[in-house]
Amino acid sequence: MIILQSLANRLGISKTKEVIAENLFWSVLGKIVALLGGLLVGIIVARYLGPAQYGLMSYVISYVTLFQTFALLGLDSIEIREESRGKYPFQTIIGTAFGLKLCSAIVCIILVLGTSWYMEADSDTTLLIAIYVLTIILNSSNVIRNYFTAIVQNKHVVKAEISRTLIGILIKSACLLAHAPLVWFVAASMFDAVLLASGYYMAYHAKVGSIREWRFDCQYAKFMLKESFPLMISGAAIILYQRIDQVMIGQMIDKESVGYFSVASKFVEILIYIPMMLAQTIMPVLVHIRENDEATYIRKGQQFMNISLWSSLLLSALMSVSSYWIIILTFGQAYLPAVAVLQILSFKAAGLALSNTAGTMLVAEGLQRYAIIRDLLGCTVCIALNYFLLPRYGIIAAAWIAIASNVIAGYVADAFIPAYRHLFFRQTHALFMGWKSMLTVKSLFKSK
């Protein structure tokens, strides 16, 4: 941080830009620690458990994740937007969002347990799901993270996330040394959510105040639900076509194949972080710019889309050509079938970058009510193609379908939705001409 501040002073960067750069630094640092820490432990755990048990663990996590978006109610983006605007007391925004998420989480836990009991013949799988499902209610604490994101002060929650990652590594390492069974690793993954929620609480208490100041407002709750409902349905559709593949692989093929697909997905998650990190950092800035200068907003939005897409595309190509050595040198020979999956799935990151940047802009423009169309389309395509192609072509088909469903939902659909057609043209421009913005990354953070 001292180096960063010194560089800002030397370059004459304004205080606002310095805050953005600092926020970006902490976001990147926190995610790098989380991703690399998770990858390191994942490699060791996967080697220890083997493809079959590791696949079962991945299946359990994916199954619970399918319900997670319903518990979040699509409120994250709305909460960040409203707190960035500052038109309502932030205690009311946080308190209302938290209350809504808490109630929804309880309902979702009941649904997870009910459906798993009905669908799973294996009682051990149901037990693992029952342990991990507690993460749903603990994830309600992300209202605190959203607040710090809105005020461009991510460093406070990132410190909590780094601590969670390091403690989580120690816990999983202890399980490895103790030669613990699979159930303990699932419990350790659930405990990560306990650590994270505790860290968020301590950060808020230290920097802002007591959570007793949060206020639930019934009228404001109606407003937030009305604004977020399209995003909830959209988010649920996104999670379905991002995670349903692993659940369908487990149901239609076997848990071992889930292990191979999950291994490839872990590396892709690292690439996916780049557009997500840019979106979280830039969204509050875009909201502020749009309220003051529409022309600057359009230009900055295009730059944001260009840089996000092409940085992801270049890294996707690099990962694809390096897939063999990436898998062999990390997860080992036992996971060799994951190589072919990773060669294809790497490009999912570029498709998501194109979709996520447009998604960020449509929230900034208040057009999220139509997002349900694009994402339901992607979800339908994903489930239908997996249903027909998985039994015949296996996990290779799932990799191609993951890319296709993202491109259809996040790009092609925009051409057929009148309110999003301007985003389709911007995305098309980014595909063919966006590489030029890679030469002017610094200008994205300028005010004009």
Side-chain angles (χ1 to χ4, degrees):
M1 285 308 303
I2 294 175
I3 295 174
L4 188 65
Q5 290 173 354
S6 176
L7 183 61
N9 292 333
R10 184 171 298 182
L11 295 175
I13 296 176
S14 68
K15 189 64 178 177
T16 301
K17 296 172 191 173
E18 185 180 340
V19 169
I20 295 172
E22 182 181 354
N23 194 63
L24 190 61
F25 167 80
W26 280 104
S27 296
V28 172
L29 178 63
K31 198 62 178 181
I32 287 175
V33 172
L35 288 173
L36 294 183
L39 182 60
L40 176 62
V41 173
I43 290 169
I44 299 172
V45 171
R47 283 176 173 267
Y48 169 74
L49 294 176
Q53 282 201 311
Y54 185 69
L56 176 56
M57 181 175 173
S58 299
Y59 172 82
V60 167
I61 293 172
S62 295
Y63 189 87
V64 173
T65 303
L66 290 180
F67 294 83
Q68 179 63 59
T69 300
F70 290 103
L72 295 177
L73 294 171
L75 287 169
D76 289 348
S77 295
I78 302 302
E79 182 190 346
I80 293 172
R81 187 192 71 187
E82 293 304 305
E83 287 167 349
S84 298
R85 288 175 172 174
K87 294 182 179 179
Y88 295 90
F90 71 87
Q91 295 93 339
T92 299
I93 299 174
I94 299 177
T96 303
F98 181 75
L100 290 171
K101 288 182 179 181
L102 201 59
C103 294
S104 179
I106 294 171
V107 173
C108 286
I109 287 175
I110 295 171
L111 289 174
V112 171
L113 295 176
T115 55
S116 67
W117 177 80
Y118 177 77
M119 293 176 59
E120 294 296 335
D122 183 2
S123 59
D124 290 338
T125 302
T126 302
L127 172 62
L128 296 176
I129 290 173
I131 293 171
Y132 193 73
V133 76
L134 295 175
T135 58
I136 292 181
I137 201 164
L138 292 165
N139 284 339
S140 300
S141 65
N142 70 350
V143 294
I144 295 175
R145 193 191 203 292
N146 294 337
Y147 170 71
F148 283 111
T149 298
I151 62 173
V152 199
Q153 291 291 328
N154 273 356
K155 65 179 180 181
H156 303 303
V157 291
V158 169
K159 290 177 182 178
E161 291 167 355
I162 292 174
S163 299
R164 180 278 307 266
T165 300
L166 297 178
I167 296 172
I169 290 173
L170 292 176
I171 292 173
K172 294 181 181 70
S173 299
C175 291
L176 287 167
L177 293 174
H179 301 287
L182 174 60
V183 64
W184 286 102
F185 289 97
V186 174
S189 296
M190 182 277 295
F191 191 68
D192 282 346
V194 176
L195 293 171
L196 189 59
S198 300
Y200 284 166
Y201 168 76
M202 289 187 286
Y204 185 88
H205 188 269
K207 299 297 178 180
V208 184
S210 173
I211 62 173
R212 293 180 181 179
E213 297 175 353
W214 294 357
R215 295 290 179 267
F216 185 88
D217 187 306
C218 290
Q219 288 300 118
Y220 195 69
K222 293 178 183 178
F223 164 77
M224 294 190 80
L225 286 174
K226 181 181 177 181
E227 290 289 299
S228 68
F229 182 76
L231 289 177
M232 181 189 71
I233 303 300
S234 173
I238 291 172
I239 288 296
L240 278 174
Y241 72 78
Q242 299 299 345
R243 287 285 189 171
I244 195 67
D245 44 18
Q246 294 190 37
V247 174
M248 293 183 75
I249 290 169
Q251 292 282 345
M252 300 177 71
I253 306 178
D254 53 46
K255 302 299 191 294
E256 186 173 338
S257 296
V258 179
Y260 300 136
F261 195 88
S262 177
V263 162
S265 298
K266 278 194 172 296
F267 291 102
V268 177
E269 285 172 5
I270 297 175
L271 295 185
I272 290 173
Y273 168 66
I274 294 172
M276 288 180 62
M277 175 269 296
L278 274 173
Q280 287 182 354
T281 302
I282 295 299
M283 182 179 170
V285 179
L286 288 179
V287 170
H288 178 73
I289 291 175
R290 185 171 184 269
E291 291 182 348
N292 294 280
D293 188 341
E294 183 72 20
T296 301
Y297 162 76
I298 293 173
R299 182 166 53 83
K300 294 294 183 185
Q302 186 67 62
Q303 279 185 287
F304 163 51
M305 186 176 289
N306 296 346
I307 293 169
S308 181
L309 170 62
W310 278 89
S311 60
S312 296
L313 189 59
L314 292 173
L315 290 172
S316 294
L318 180 62
M319 178 169 284
S320 181
V321 299
S322 307
S323 296
Y324 176 80
W325 294 110
I326 289 173
I327 297 296
I328 292 298
L329 295 176
T330 54
F331 288 86
Q333 192 76 23
Y335 290 88
L336 194 59
V339 172
V341 178
L342 183 57
Q343 287 174 335
I344 300 166
L345 200 61
S346 297
F347 290 95
K348 176 182 176 181
L352 274 172
L354 194 63
S355 175
N356 286 348
T357 49
T360 298
M361 294 174 70
L362 67 88
V363 172
E365 296 172 20
L367 298 173
Q368 66 273 7
R369 66 180 65 90
Y370 304 108
I372 183 176
I373 300 173
R374 69 204 295 257
D375 295 319
L376 283 177
L377 176 61
C379 180
T380 302
V381 169
C382 179
I383 293 175
L385 290 179
N386 272 305
Y387 181 80
F388 289 108
L389 299 180
L390 263 183
R392 184 172 182 180
Y393 299 105
I395 55 177
I396 296 299
W400 283 113
I401 293 167
I403 298 171
S405 55
N406 275 286
V407 172
I408 290 171
Y411 173 54
V412 177
D414 291 345
F416 299 96
I417 303 173
Y420 292 175
R421 199 158 292 150
H422 67 291
L423 292 175
F424 173 78
F425 292 129
R426 293 181 190 178
Q427 289 170 303
T428 303
H429 181 274
L431 275 170
F432 294 99
M433 303 299 293
W435 59 270
K436 294 181 179 180
S437 293
M438 294 294 291
L439 306 176
T440 58
V441 175
K442 188 173 71 173
S443 64
L444 179 62
F445 298 98
K446 292 181 178 179
S447 58
K448 296 294 182 181

